[in-house]
Amino acid sequence: DSSVAFGLVSAGALLSTMVGATVGNFLSLQEGVAAMMFFDIIILLPYLVCCLPETLPQSKRQAMQWRAAAPGLGLSILGRNQLFLQLSTLVVGSTFIGTGFQRVSSSFLQKYIRWPKSCNNLAFIIGCSSSILWAGGGLSITHRAVGDVGSLGLALWAGALYMLCFACITQQWQVYILNAVLLGPQALAFPAISAIKSRLVAEHEQGLLQGALTTGKSIAECIGPILFGFLFEVFSRPFDGDSGDPGHSQFASRIPILIAFLLCLPLLCLTAVIPQKLADFEQQLVDRTVNIEMENLEAEDVSLLDPS
């Protein structure tokens, strides 16, 4: 199952991030740079060149299309039809909201909650551990139970609920519980939607599709923190006539978090209509394949009857 495979890859990436961040706390800047150079140049580069197998057979590869390789031009595949556009909206929208929320949440914790480095490290480890468990093992369970679209809906629902609950936190331990319970299911979103879209394109377009999705996510990751960071600064500063009560300022700073929650609701509604449209699209693919096979059989029959 492609979604389970995507989940295992995501779990591996999360595990490496957690291990790398943990080890990095014990290294100086010079030692960290030296370690990165060693792993990138001595280990990863030779493995990529000499050992990593190509998954697409030579016979099915197509000639290089420079138009698709140009920055931004390959994104047209994300809007190929209405279903692709809706799925792409889910990817880009959830990434935009998620990265913007991360920017606001970290600022909120540092400004209004006693949040030293030790608390941040513990919350990071709890969140990564939960995400690894869900991406590595939970995705296979949810895939069998509710399918890829159901897994995507669960991830978006967990993200929206996390943001709503985060807007009400007042203590450190509440963040730990949120990370343990609701952060992990959010790791199901990208593997599930990548698996859905990978079934809708031909083999030679898989790389183009994943590259376009990654590009869209990267754009959202750039815009989200900027916009939400601006909102946090606007709502955190004292208003004209403000009494200077720190509680009032803290309440106003929670507004961008609630905005992130409200922006998740349209995505949840969009997820609800995906199953039917996905079923219709896959049925169209089946009908098209059957028609092509029938046309080929008719052509073979005509060639057999032709005396020449």
Side-chain angles (χ1 to χ4, degrees):
D1 296 330
S2 55
S3 60
V4 177
F6 279 118
L8 292 175
V9 172
S10 299
L14 289 168
L15 179 61
S16 63
T17 300
M18 185 173 67
V19 173
T22 303
V23 174
N25 288 327
F26 301 96
L27 300 178
S28 65
L29 178 61
Q30 294 80 3
E31 292 172 340
V33 172
M36 288 189 294
M37 292 180 61
F38 173 79
F39 279 99
D40 288 341
I41 298 175
I42 305 300
I43 298 179
L44 295 182
L45 183 60
Y47 173 76
L48 176 65
V49 174
C50 303
C51 303
L52 187 65
E54 174 59 60
T55 57
L56 184 62
Q58 182 72 36
S59 59
K60 296 183 179 181
R61 300 178 199 174
Q62 292 191 349
M64 177 66 179
Q65 299 180 7
W66 291 105
R67 182 180 181 278
L73 296 182
L75 295 176
S76 60
I77 191 174
L78 299 181
R80 172 172 293 178
N81 52 46
Q82 187 179 17
L83 177 59
F84 271 57
L85 185 60
Q86 290 176 339
L87 291 171
S88 302
T89 301
L90 289 174
V91 173
V92 176
S94 60
T95 303
F96 167 78
I97 298 170
T99 54
F101 170 76
Q102 289 177 4
R103 166 66 176 83
V104 172
S105 62
S106 60
S107 299
F108 180 85
L109 290 173
Q110 294 172 7
K111 189 171 184 178
Y112 298 109
I113 307 294
R114 186 176 179 276
W115 197 250
K117 183 178 179 180
S118 58
C119 292
N120 189 71
N121 291 339
L122 179 58
F124 174 77
I125 292 174
I126 293 174
C128 279
S129 301
S130 178
S131 299
I132 291 170
L133 290 176
W134 275 94
L139 184 56
S140 62
I141 299 175
T142 58
H143 173 73
R144 290 193 299 268
V146 295
D148 291 332
V149 179
S151 299
L152 174 61
L154 174 62
L156 295 177
W157 174 85
L161 185 59
Y162 184 99
M163 296 173 191
L164 180 61
C165 294
F166 193 92
C168 304
I169 64 168
T170 57
Q171 302 293 329
Q172 300 169 355
W173 62 269
Q174 297 168 342
V175 181
Y176 302 151
I177 292 189
L178 283 179
N179 283 9
V181 177
L182 293 176
L183 194 61
Q186 298 178 50
L188 306 180
F190 190 65
I193 204 166
S194 298
I196 293 171
K197 299 199 76 168
S198 66
R199 297 199 303 266
L200 306 180
V201 297
E203 288 183 338
H204 67 275
E205 292 182 312
Q206 296 290 330
L208 177 61
L209 173 63
Q210 297 303 327
L213 283 175
T214 302
T215 302
K217 281 171 57 67
S218 299
I219 295 173
E221 288 170 352
C222 294
I223 300 176
I226 295 175
L227 180 58
F228 277 86
F230 171 76
L231 291 176
F232 182 80
E233 292 299 326
V234 168
F235 284 103
S236 296
R237 66 179 60 153
F239 297 99
D240 293 338
D242 192 355
S243 62
D245 182 10
H248 180 271
S249 177
Q250 183 179 145
F251 174 79
S253 299
R254 299 175 190 267
I255 294 178
I257 301 174
L258 294 174
I259 292 176
F261 163 73
L262 293 176
L263 290 176
C264 290
L265 300 182
L267 297 184
L268 289 171
C269 295
L270 185 59
T271 306
V273 303
I274 292 295
Q276 183 60 47
K277 292 191 175 184
L278 183 61
D280 294 340
F281 184 84
E282 291 179 339
Q283 185 60 45
Q284 292 176 5
L285 292 179
V286 172
D287 295 341
R288 190 181 309 167
T289 302
V290 171
N291 291 334
I292 293 174
E293 292 178 353
M294 292 297 295
E295 291 175 359
N296 292 336
L297 290 176
E298 291 175 358
E300 291 178 1
D301 293 340
V302 171
S303 64
L304 291 175
L305 295 175
D306 189 357
S308 61

